[in-house]
Each structure stands twice: as C-alpha cells, then as structure tokens.
Amino acid sequence: MLTAPVAIAQTTTSADSITATTVQGAGADKTRWYDKISLRGYVQVRYNRLLETNPQLKTEYDKSVGDKGGFLIRRARLVLSGDISERVYLYIQPDLASSPSNSSLHYAQLRDAYFDVALTKKKEYRLRVGQSKIPFGFENMQSSQNRLTQDRADGLNSALPNERDLGLIFYWAPAHIRERFSELASRRLKGSGDYGVFALGVYNGQTVNRAEANNNQHLVTRVSYPIALKNGQIIEPSLQAYTGTYTVTADQLSSNAIKGGDFKDRRVAASLVVYPQPFGFQAEYNLGEGPEFDPATSTIKTKPLEGGYAQAMYFFKVAGQAFIPFVKAQYYNGGKKSETDARHSKVYETELGVEWQPMSAFELAAQYTISDRTTQDARNLNNRQHGQFLRLQAQFNF
C-alpha cells in the first residue's frame, strides 16, 4: 500500500527558537514532544570543613562532613515535566550525584517518576501515581533548590529519608489556591510547591528506591492552607499524620545477633510557615513511635520519638542582589528507621547562615553549624560527638 509523503515544517522567530512544529499529512497537525515537555535542573557543590573543631562529627545526610570529607557534588538534578495531555501531567527527576557509601560518588538514581491525573477540567482534584514526595511536613516537601539550610532537620526527615516513596496520592485545592502555591514556590519566598489543601494517600513505607518488605502499606493525610493577610503577608499552617508498618530488613543490621522484623511506624506533625516578606519564620514538630535500637537489651523495639525545629529568616536586596540571613535550631530524640540497626539518635543543633543570590542562575550559601549528636547502635553503644564547622555551598540553576 502506498501512502502520501510526510513533510515536516518548522516555524521560527529566530535561529534558536522554534515556536511551532507540525507534521503535514493526512490533513492533521501533531504537536512534537518538545512542545509539551520542559527540561530544567540544578547542581549543588559543597565544602564543609572550614573552621572544623571535631573531625569525628558526621551526619548521614551529607557524607562529606567530618574526617576525610572534601568537596562534594551534593545534588545534580534534571527535571523533565509537562502536560502530556489535557488532564495528564508528567514529572521525572533523576539525581546524577547520589552517594550510596562513603567511598562511592556520583551514581544516577531515580528520585521522582509520577503522573498527575486531573479529575476535572480545573484540575482542582488530582490523583498522583508513581514515586513522589509523601505529603508529611513542609520542609520535607520544600525543594533543596529553595531550602535555606543545607540539610533538612532530623526530626521530620527521619520519618521519610529522601522524602519520597511509591504510591497513590489524592490532592485537592481550589484553583486560586493552586495559583498561590505556585507563586510561593519561588526561590525568594521559599515555598514547598503545590501539595494541595487536602491530601490523602497510600504508599509502600520502606522509603525511596527500596522494595516493599511487608504486606501493609502506609497511609498518610495532610491539611494545609496558605492564608493571605491584608498587608500582603502569607502564613501557612499545616497538620499531617501517617501510620503503617516498617520492616527492618537484614541488610540494615550490623550483625546476625540483632533481629529485624516488623514495627509500628506512625507520627503526627504540626507546621507553621510565615513567608519572608521581608521577615519569615518556619517551625515544625512531630511526635510518634517507630523502630529504634535499645542499647540496654541490644535489640530493636518500637519506641516513642519526638523532634522538630524553628527557623527565622529575613529577605532584603542590595544593588539588585538578594540576601537571606537565617538562624535555625533543631532537636530530635528517637530512632532512625532506615539507618543501621534503626539506630537511636539524639540531636541538638544550631545553624546560622546567609544565602546570597546575585543572579537567578547562581546562589552561594554560607552556614555555621554548632552540633551535638549522639547515636547508639550495636557497633557503638554510645557515640557522642559535638563540634562546630563552616559549610559553603554553590548552587547553579538552569
């Protein structure tokens, strides 16, 4: 069978800008994929050892902190996103700089891969299917591209290390509030993005990029509303909770003498955000219970946990360049379910710093950290380290 030849025509306004691409033939026009999908990203490069007082002080979140730490590409993210149909939105984000161990750097790892299916034309009701951030906590959902401090606070991030999991989440927000969420997500206002006024979801519960290890999925719910005041200030209170069963698997144990298994994993949290116009404030706190190493019996038990943080910031400009000084204090006392032996952790930490944004494509942050961290697992029953160090981070946005 013979078919009519197909000709590709491109209309441009300049040598490097294609404004329309059509396929001519069979009497129909088809939009090319690159008219629907956008590509963006950012890269963060760090050095953490200036003014260091204790090289034995380390963290699980940044493996370049402490002894033998050096320069580190902390994140190298690429985001493919766009509306692939009138009611289906695509979001895929790999990280090209994951560090699975202290000696291994720059491994590619999937962070996000989800689809939003709009249930109405206004897209006020959505189903999110795939691997995505779980709606628990404001800072957990705030992009690292926007966050002021270099790492998230232990208190809430220990609930969802890497913030993501596989599941199905329902989101609802009125159209005008979705627009407000979009405006707040700018780097100046440091928003978290659009995670709805109401969220209800089910997810595996073993944390990101780990296979499900039991027959019980986690349930999560969240209510959050950005309130616009007459003076232009916006405040956003939130309540959230999750419950499920977490399995401490064999690869998380330091020896065969420690037993893993299934443990209750549930928390409730409250958040309050005052967006920096020019003064800003964030505070979050959570309570719950989860797996935790017990040094008295050298076993893992379901034990209570609690922790949170408070952060103040101030936005101002000098000669068109943005500055945001900040101070943050955090506390956590409880288990770290995804770490070795679900190790017990007690954290007191204060961070003082400033973020400088001379242009949209570049940011430089300096942060002085005063830390007192105690961890307990079967290999080290009482590892307490305290010290101070200056951290620098260059971020490139594209």
Side-chain angles (χ1 to χ4, degrees):
M1 179 181 294
L2 298 177
T3 58
V6 176
I8 299 177
Q10 296 182 342
T11 303
T12 65
T13 56
S14 67
D16 59 353
S17 175
I18 298 176
T19 58
T21 302
T22 60
V23 176
Q24 297 178 348
D29 291 343
K30 295 183 180 179
T31 304
R32 289 303 205 183
W33 67 270
Y34 43 74
D35 291 322
K36 298 180 179 180
I37 307 299
S38 67
L39 174 64
R40 59 182 174 84
Y42 68 99
V43 175
Q44 295 174 338
V45 182
R46 292 183 181 177
Y47 188 75
N48 295 303
R49 304 198 63 189
L50 296 173
L51 307 181
E52 180 183 73
T53 63
N54 180 8
Q56 300 308 310
L57 174 63
K58 294 178 175 290
T59 74
E60 287 294 320
Y61 300 122
D62 186 334
K63 299 183 186 302
S64 68
V65 171
D67 187 40
K68 297 182 178 64
F71 288 98
L72 176 73
I73 298 178
R74 179 63 179 87
R75 292 175 177 88
R77 302 283 175 88
L78 292 174
V79 178
L80 288 167
S81 63
D83 293 306
I84 59 175
S85 78
E86 185 179 356
R87 294 195 187 182
V88 179
Y89 173 80
L90 161 73
Y91 190 100
I92 296 178
Q93 178 179 218
D95 188 347
L96 307 179
S98 296
S99 302
S101 68
N102 289 330
S103 59
S104 301
L105 298 176
H106 309 153
Y107 280 69
Q109 187 179 73
L110 185 66
R111 290 295 172 171
D112 299 278
Y114 65 80
F115 294 86
D116 277 357
V117 181
L119 304 181
T120 62
K121 288 185 177 181
K122 288 187 176 181
K123 302 181 181 180
E124 294 179 333
Y125 301 86
R126 294 170 289 148
L127 286 176
R128 180 163 293 178
V129 185
Q131 181 164 293
S132 68
K133 288 186 176 179
I134 302 302
F136 183 82
F138 177 86
E139 192 181 56
N140 278 350
M141 295 181 296
Q142 186 183 36
S143 171
S144 298
Q145 188 176 23
N146 284 356
R147 192 180 63 252
L148 283 171
T149 53
Q150 294 190 20
D151 294 314
R152 293 177 173 90
D154 294 62
L156 276 82
N157 197 243
S158 56
L160 290 152
N162 293 309
E163 305 84 53
R164 298 161 172 87
D165 211 326
L166 269 166
L168 172 66
I169 304 173
F170 168 78
Y171 289 110
W172 169 79
H176 70 286
I177 297 299
R178 293 201 66 194
E179 292 178 3
R180 187 174 299 169
F181 279 133
S182 179
E183 294 170 0
L184 292 172
S186 72
R187 282 190 291 276
R188 183 180 75 82
L189 292 175
K190 303 298 182 183
S192 66
D194 183 1
Y195 292 89
V197 170
F198 173 75
L200 178 64
V202 56
Y203 63 102
N204 281 344
Q206 288 297 123
T207 71
V208 70
N209 295 327
R210 291 181 61 87
E212 177 63 307
N214 55 59
N215 293 313
N216 299 280
Q217 275 67 53
H218 278 52
L219 296 175
V220 64
T221 188
R222 182 175 187 257
V223 178
S224 186
Y225 195 90
I227 303 168
L229 305 180
K230 291 183 179 180
N231 63 0
Q233 183 59 274
I234 297 176
I235 62 174
E236 185 178 346
S238 309
L239 292 173
Q240 49 258 302
Y242 76 81
T243 183
T245 298
Y246 183 86
T247 300
V248 179
T249 54
D251 61 313
Q252 294 179 245
L253 304 176
S254 61
S255 73
N256 294 331
I258 308 298
K259 292 184 178 180
D262 296 344
F263 298 87
K264 292 180 181 178
D265 179 27
R266 53 192 180 188
R267 302 191 188 196
V268 296
S271 310
L272 177 64
V273 178
V274 179
Y275 288 93
Q277 302 187 93
F279 172 79
F281 178 77
Q282 284 178 217
E284 300 190 83
Y285 204 84
N286 75 164
L287 301 165
E289 60 180 352
E292 178 183 336
F293 180 78
D294 179 32
T297 60
S298 290
T299 61
I300 300 173
K301 298 180 178 180
T302 298
K303 301 182 71 173
L305 57 85
E306 63 175 324
Y309 72 91
Q311 174 179 292
M313 51 202 152
Y314 189 85
F315 174 87
F316 66 94
K317 282 189 173 183
V318 175
Q321 302 182 28
F323 294 83
I324 309 180
F326 61 89
V327 58
K328 178 180 183 180
Q330 67 153 314
Y331 162 76
Y332 179 63
N333 186 12
K336 295 283 190 72
K337 61 186 178 185
S338 65
E339 295 182 10
T340 301
D341 297 335
R343 64 168 56 98
H344 167 74
S345 183
K346 181 177 284 188
V347 178
Y348 300 92
E349 196 164 83
T350 302
E351 298 159 299
L352 305 94
V354 61
E355 181 181 275
W356 170 44
Q357 304 172 13
M359 61 192 77
S360 61
F362 175 71
E363 301 172 18
L364 181 65
Q367 173 182 309
Y368 191 70
T369 299
I370 305 167
S371 187
D372 184 348
R373 291 176 173 264
T374 301
T375 61
Q376 295 173 307
D377 57 38
R379 290 175 176 171
N380 195 331
L381 294 177
N382 189 20
N383 177 31
R384 183 179 181 183
Q385 304 292 339
H386 51 86
Q388 306 172 21
F389 54 103
L390 178 65
R391 314 179 71 182
L392 299 177
Q393 176 177 282
Q395 177 172 300
F396 302 88
N397 309 303
F398 53 89

